[in-house]
Each structure stands twice: as structure tokens, then as C-alpha cells.
Amino acid sequence: MVPSPDISWTAGFRQDFAKKKTKHPEQGKIVRSAYRPFAKQFLWFDKQTNERTYLQPQLFPYPEAKNLQISIVLGSRQFSCLMTDVVPDIQLSFNAQCFPLYWYEKLDDDSPEKYGLDFYEIRDRADSHGYVRHDAITDTALNVFRAAYPALSITKEDIFYYVYGILHSSEYRRRFANNLTKELPRIPLARNFKAFEQAGRKLAKLHLNYEKVKPWDVTEIGDPTNPGRTVRMTYPRKVKDPDTGKKVADLTVLQVAENLTIENIPLRAYEYVVNGKTAIGWLIDRYQVTTDKKSGITNDPNDYSDDPRYIVDLVEKVIRVSVETVDIINGLPKLDEIGKPANWPQEWN
């Protein structure tokens, strides 16, 4: 368990600054971060300028370090989780705690006695930056899962994706709703391990690569080649709520830019909620022009890319991510828990 850092006031470097070809002595401290769901920003990441980094430098010790983390909501909010492959902000998931696939150790060549007889084996595994990558999932956990599912050749990576699948289970979230507001998730042994592991992999692929998926097939009204600027996305139409009789926003129609509106957004896309808001809602919230009152700095999402369709395409891609996420969740089997194997550690009870 690793807390997410509070990176709020150092996130948000302009993309053109972060991509400058001129090398700065501190250029290696500029990394991509997951500031909010489906909203990445560049971050100056070090212990001197970030308010609280916690153990995140052991998970992403340098910009090229590869890792995955499951960021979960703790506390009073509705439970949710999101996987990220970059440094997460503490509010990526509300007051987040993170569960990584790996952690990195800086090899201390000057004190080989700390490692005992394993020093030379560990040194051989060090990368070009002098770090050794370790599995965050323990051998104990691996042995428990292998004992529980003897017919399967389970790896630590399989367990990681299995956990991600379990955490998205509607049955799991409903049955353990009270526990999930008070303590860290406890992972049951579902009878169909492969179903949850494969679902976890599919969900991870969607959530990590949301900018690369095929856009959802919507109807575009306006100029598709020159959609214009996005100042703030809005729902331009109203419909009558059949239950209350009041006029409410028509969620199937969204004006994304000044010259382009998209129609035929499937309503089930709004069933995917992460950190208290729909994925589409996060885009509306983050991809708008805002000016900080104290500093006077303007954050303009139209500067994020030279592609005039960047925001439009992103919205259509996140619609697909939302719909397919809901479909995967709805297709999960029941937990149908099996008994604990004989090697279940006492401290896990």
C-alpha cells in the first residue's frame, strides 16, 4: 500500500515547456502525471518541490521507469479504483491509496554488506540507472494463489490483474460496501479466477490506453475538420424527466467545441463512475479554459495538442472506454468464493 502524493500545486506545466528540445539540468524531473481521471498533466516531481511524495519515488524513480498502480478511493466516497502507469495525484482517486506491481531499490555499491550473499545477484539485476526492480506482490501471496488454483499456472502479474477485475465487480462492491469505507480491500478467492483476471486485463488496457482506442461512433453536427476552440463543454438540449416532469439536460448530445456538437451518446456511458464522477464528466470538468485568480495563469486545453480534433476525439474515445468498461463489468461472473488453502497465512485473517 502506497499513498498517492499531493502534487496539486506542481502539476500542470505547459506541454510545450515539457517538450522543449533544449536540455535543462533538471529536465529529468519533468514527468507525466495522472492528475484526475482521464486528465494527465506534466509534473515537476521531486521531494523538494512536491508537498508530499511518500513512497512514490520508489515506484517511479526516474522518468523511464515502468510500473502500474491501482489507485483506490478510501473514506466516505463511493468506492472506485483506476489503474495508472504514471505518477498519480492523491486526488486521482479521493485520498488515494495505491497498490503497485513493482517497486524500485537504488543499489548501494558502497555498502555491499547490507545485501549479504545476495549482493552480486542483485547487482546483476540493476538497470542502467542503478536501480533494482522488485515485485510488490510477495512470494507468500503467489504461493497462496497457486495452492488455491492448482490447475492454473498463476504468475504475480496474473494476480495483479485479477485484483483489478475483482475491485470492479458489482457484487463485490455491494457486499462489502461498508467495509470499503473503513478499511483496505480484502480480496476474495473467486471460483473463476481466469474470468476476473482476463476482465482485469481488458479493463487495464482500456483505462491505460484511453487516448489510443477507436473513437465511439457518434453523429457529429458542425465542422468536423475545424471544430474550433473548446472553452467549456455543455449539454445544449433539454428533455423532460419522465419521473419529475422537469426539464433536464439531454445527455445524448454534447457541444464539445464552438463549431461541433456530438449526438447519439449512449446513456450507458454515464454508468461508468470513477472518483465520484462519470468519465465524461471528468473531461467536461478538466478540459475547459480556466484562469487561476491568484497567479493569473490560464490553463487552456486547446494548447495541449496541435491537432484541432484532439479534444473531440478524446471525448469520443472516452465514450468508448466508458461503454466497454460497463459491458465488461456487467459480464463478470458471481464471486462464488472457494475455501482458503492450507497455506493461508494466519496474519491475513
Side-chain angles (χ1 to χ4, degrees):
M1 178 187 73
V2 181
S4 293
D6 186 348
I7 63 176
S8 303
W9 63 277
T10 52
F13 281 101
R14 285 173 57 88
Q15 189 156 338
D16 54 357
F17 170 77
K19 294 194 300 183
K20 280 185 181 296
K21 295 181 180 179
T22 302
K23 286 293 182 181
H24 185 279
E26 303 290 344
Q27 193 80 10
K29 294 181 180 179
I30 301 174
V31 299
R32 288 172 67 83
S33 68
Y35 185 62
R36 296 292 184 270
F38 308 104
K40 292 179 180 177
Q41 291 186 318
F42 283 97
L43 162 72
W44 187 286
F45 188 53
D46 68 18
K47 291 187 176 181
Q48 281 68 49
T49 54
N50 298 116
E51 186 174 356
R52 292 182 292 272
T53 60
Y54 299 106
L55 297 178
Q56 288 292 328
Q58 294 184 27
L59 308 186
F60 294 100
Y62 50 88
E64 301 83 17
K66 302 296 183 183
N67 210 344
L68 298 175
Q69 295 188 69
I70 300 174
S71 176
I72 67 170
V73 169
L74 288 177
S76 58
R77 286 202 182 186
Q78 182 182 15
F79 178 84
S80 70
C81 63
L82 187 64
M83 190 178 294
T84 178
D85 55 3
V86 295
V87 178
D89 181 71
I90 194 170
Q91 297 302 333
L92 173 66
S93 298
F94 180 69
N95 294 339
Q97 296 288 335
C98 294
F99 296 84
L101 181 58
Y102 307 114
W103 64 278
Y104 288 80
E105 179 185 15
K106 182 69 173 178
L107 189 64
D108 185 0
D109 285 309
D110 296 330
S111 303
E113 66 277 3
K114 293 195 308 185
Y115 306 97
L117 297 177
D118 294 330
F119 172 71
Y120 295 103
E121 186 273 331
I122 293 174
R123 187 180 63 178
D124 290 342
R125 292 195 287 117
D127 61 24
S128 59
H129 295 270
Y131 283 89
V132 178
R133 193 179 75 179
H134 301 280
D135 294 318
I137 295 174
T138 64
D139 291 339
T140 298
L142 178 62
N143 290 334
V144 167
F145 272 87
R146 285 180 171 175
Y149 305 98
L152 303 176
S153 299
I154 292 176
T155 66
K156 292 180 179 180
E157 186 178 277
D158 293 335
I159 297 172
F160 186 76
Y161 288 111
Y162 169 83
V163 169
Y164 200 51
I166 286 288
L167 294 179
H168 280 84
S169 164
S170 299
E171 178 191 353
Y172 174 81
R173 295 186 182 189
R174 182 178 63 255
R175 282 178 53 189
F176 303 105
N178 290 334
N179 300 72
L180 292 171
T181 64
K182 304 170 185 175
E183 61 182 11
L184 294 173
R186 296 172 181 263
I187 305 302
L189 297 173
R191 186 168 301 279
N192 194 338
F193 176 93
K194 292 300 293 184
F196 286 97
E197 180 244 325
Q198 291 170 0
R201 289 182 180 274
K202 292 177 182 178
L203 290 167
K205 185 176 181 180
L206 282 172
H207 300 162
L208 294 173
N209 303 301
Y210 64 92
E211 294 174 293
K212 300 177 182 179
V213 303
K214 180 182 177 182
W216 188 260
D217 187 16
V218 296
T219 301
E220 296 186 350
I221 307 299
D223 188 346
T225 59
N226 182 30
R229 287 172 50 79
T230 296
V231 177
R232 179 177 172 81
M233 296 183 232
T234 59
Y235 294 103
R237 296 184 188 173
K238 299 287 185 179
V239 293
K240 183 179 290 188
D241 187 319
D243 296 326
T244 66
K246 296 181 179 179
K247 291 284 187 178
V248 296
D250 182 356
L251 300 182
T252 67
V253 181
L254 178 66
Q255 183 173 354
V256 179
E258 55 190 354
N259 301 330
L260 193 137
T261 298
I262 60 175
E263 298 184 347
N264 299 322
I265 301 172
L267 289 177
R268 74 178 187 278
Y270 294 96
E271 296 176 26
Y272 177 45
V273 175
V274 57
N275 194 8
K277 193 177 296 185
T278 66
I280 297 172
W282 280 114
L283 294 187
I284 295 172
D285 180 75
R286 301 307 308 171
Y287 287 80
Q288 60 175 296
V289 179
T290 58
T291 301
D292 183 75
K293 293 181 180 179
K294 293 183 178 179
S295 67
I297 296 174
T298 297
N299 182 26
D300 189 342
N302 299 283
D303 295 337
Y304 292 177
S305 172
D306 295 330
D307 181 358
R309 284 188 54 89
Y310 168 71
I311 298 176
V312 173
D313 287 339
L314 181 62
V315 171
E316 295 176 5
K317 291 173 182 178
V318 170
I319 291 172
R320 175 171 297 280
V321 169
S322 300
V323 172
E324 293 191 6
T325 294
V326 170
D327 289 345
I328 292 171
I329 293 173
N330 289 342
L332 287 172
K334 294 182 178 179
L335 294 178
D336 192 16
E337 296 162 69
I338 62 176
K340 299 174 183 177
N343 63 346
W344 185 271
Q346 181 63 34
E347 60 269 23
W348 287 14
N349 294 322

